[in-house]
Amino acid sequence: MTQIFLTGATGYIGGEVLHALQHAHPDYEVAALIRDKEKASKVLAAFPTVRVVLADLDNVDIIEEESRKANIVIHAASNKHIASVKAIANGLAGRQNAHYIQVTGASVLAGPEVDNNSYGEPSDQIIDDLDNAADLRDIIRAYKDRRVVDNYILDLGSSGPKTAIIFPPIIFGIGKGPVKQRSVQVPSLARATLLQRVSLYLGRGLSRWGIVHVSELADLFVKLAENAVNATPSPIWNENGLFFAEKGFEVGSWPNVSQLIHADPFSFFQSFKDVASVIAKEAHSLGYIDSPDSVKSMNLEESNVVIPNGSVFLGTNGQGRASRAKKLLGWQPDGESFQNAVRETIIAEAAQL
């Protein structure tokens, strides 16, 4: 019986992963680390077969024990809590048939902007996680102080569990998890648009990230879990276990919005100014702002009010191409369109104001 130990089940990503696992593989036994009894009851109401482990990330002895019981550990609660990461590694130590999947973020590529304090500007750096895996590893190694968890996992090598690190871009869509169903970037920009009656971007708005629907991201976790269970031989673990998760765009999928098309015709990255344009058009169509062209620039201070650490999450470049998952795992991110999800998000944010 496959046993999975999951952290972050009450969060946006972890909750969606739990939902996806329970629906794709009800035969998998899932133990979920949850620190709050009230939230635990919501998880159990939605998924009665889940075994709740009532503890938090600082309970490293419990995390190590649960990791030791598991075939697969999915750490979706945090990409900065190094003590919990070490506890997982200790619980899986020496078990080359065990698997460890860690979530982090596409901000791994944001180092140059942060170093230069330059935000909202374009970059010609596009890192393909299959063709440029060595370059991605070099980037992680170059920022050991900022990417502590990523570096620690890479340092585990091949003597311990098989590892994978997922670097999501902008995650959009309303989640199906039992507790938190709201993302960060798009909802925060939508809320700011509703409050100020104008859609916002940082600086010139020319920095670009990929995007992925939360259900598509969860499906990538499922694909990795399935590969682990089936022991399918492929270069997707350890030093090769680095995954971007952008969905790409079909040509013409964003009518009336400028498209930035790169060499690969199946993968496009959208500037934050384009994201602001989509939000403006949808907010206008719903009657919340006066014009579909109501967009304007904001400065660093304003961006950090819209979203904590907004300078990084709204002003840097995270152009990571997800070739590894698409080509080696058969991952097909073909879910809900960004435009439709933006519309749903605006409606949801408006209901909270």
Side-chain angles (χ1 to χ4, degrees), residues 1-316:
M1 180 67 70
T2 299
Q3 297 187 37
I4 296 177
F5 177 44
L6 171 68
T7 75
T10 62
Y12 179 59
I13 296 175
E16 189 76 18
V17 170
L18 177 59
H19 176 273
L21 285 170
Q22 290 282 286
H23 282 77
H25 294 285
D27 53 313
Y28 291 177
E29 293 184 355
V30 178
L33 185 79
I34 303 174
R35 64 182 178 183
D36 182 283
K37 289 183 179 180
E38 182 178 350
K39 291 179 179 179
S41 66
K42 293 180 180 180
V43 171
L44 289 173
F47 306 112
T49 63
V50 168
R51 179 170 64 85
V52 168
V53 179
L54 205 60
D56 62 26
L57 293 181
D58 291 324
N59 297 125
V60 292
D61 290 342
I62 293 176
I63 291 173
E64 181 174 337
E65 178 185 352
E66 291 297 331
S67 298
R68 191 171 290 112
K69 297 175 184 176
N71 307 111
I72 302 169
V73 176
I74 299 175
H75 197 358
S78 173
N79 69 331
K80 298 189 182 300
H81 196 279
I82 188 63
S84 59
V85 171
K86 290 180 178 179
I88 291 169
N90 289 338
L92 299 176
R95 296 171 55 197
Q96 296 182 17
N97 62 339
H99 295 75
Y100 171 22
I101 305 170
Q102 171 72 50
V103 69
T104 178
S107 61
V108 67
L109 303 180
E113 287 94 345
V114 175
D115 290 342
N116 299 325
N117 198 35
S118 174
Y119 301 100
E121 296 299 317
S123 170
D124 59 4
Q125 175 181 256
I126 300 175
I127 300 295
D128 185 297
D129 62 9
L130 188 60
D131 295 338
N132 310 124
D135 295 330
L136 178 53
R137 288 193 294 272
D138 288 344
I139 291 170
I140 294 170
R141 295 304 195 187
Y143 292 98
K144 289 189 175 182
D145 291 341
R146 296 180 197 166
R147 313 299 303 195
V148 175
V149 167
D150 302 345
N151 275 280
Y152 183 87
I153 292 173
L154 284 180
D155 286 341
L156 292 176
S158 58
S159 60
K162 293 181 174 65
T163 63
I165 307 174
I166 300 177
F167 304 86
I170 297 172
I171 309 172
F172 68 92
I174 297 173
K176 301 184 187 70
V179 180
K180 186 177 180 182
Q181 300 176 331
R182 180 185 188 271
S183 183
V184 179
Q185 285 150 302
V186 174
S188 297
L189 287 169
R191 176 173 286 255
T193 299
L194 294 169
L195 291 172
Q196 301 190 32
R197 299 186 65 82
V198 63
S199 190
L200 303 167
Y201 56 88
L202 175 54
R204 293 202 295 159
L206 300 181
S207 54
R208 300 186 292 262
W209 279 39
I211 64 170
V212 68
H213 193 278
V214 65
S215 64
E216 297 166 335
L217 176 60
D219 183 55
L220 176 53
F221 282 86
V222 172
K223 293 287 188 188
L224 282 166
E226 290 171 342
N227 181 278
V229 171
N230 297 327
T232 306
S234 53
I236 62 170
W237 301 103
N238 299 332
E239 67 171 10
N240 295 312
L242 305 175
F243 292 86
F244 288 118
E246 49 79 31
K247 71 183 273 117
F249 293 91
E250 295 178 1
V251 174
S253 64
W254 283 30
N256 303 318
V257 178
S258 62
Q259 296 183 344
L260 298 171
I261 303 177
H262 300 280
D264 181 348
F266 300 103
S267 184
F268 312 119
F269 299 94
Q270 292 296 327
S271 74
F272 281 98
K273 189 172 183 178
D274 283 341
V275 172
S277 294
V278 172
I279 293 173
K281 285 175 170 56
E282 292 304 314
H284 173 260
S285 73
L286 290 165
Y288 292 122
I289 64 176
D290 297 332
S291 168
D293 301 315
S294 294
V295 296
K296 76 170 187 178
S297 174
M298 59 181 164
N299 60 33
L300 284 179
E301 183 177 349
E302 291 169 329
S303 73
N304 290 325
V305 172
V306 169
I307 176 177
N309 210 19
S311 56
V312 173
F313 291 116
L314 302 175
T316 61

Side-chain angles (χ1 to χ4, degrees), residues 328-351:
L328 301 184
L329 288 173
W331 181 58
Q332 296 179 337
D334 54 3
E336 183 180 12
S337 75
F338 182 74
Q339 191 164 345
N340 289 344
V342 166
R343 188 177 185 87
E344 291 179 355
T345 298
I346 293 170
I347 293 170
E349 292 299 311

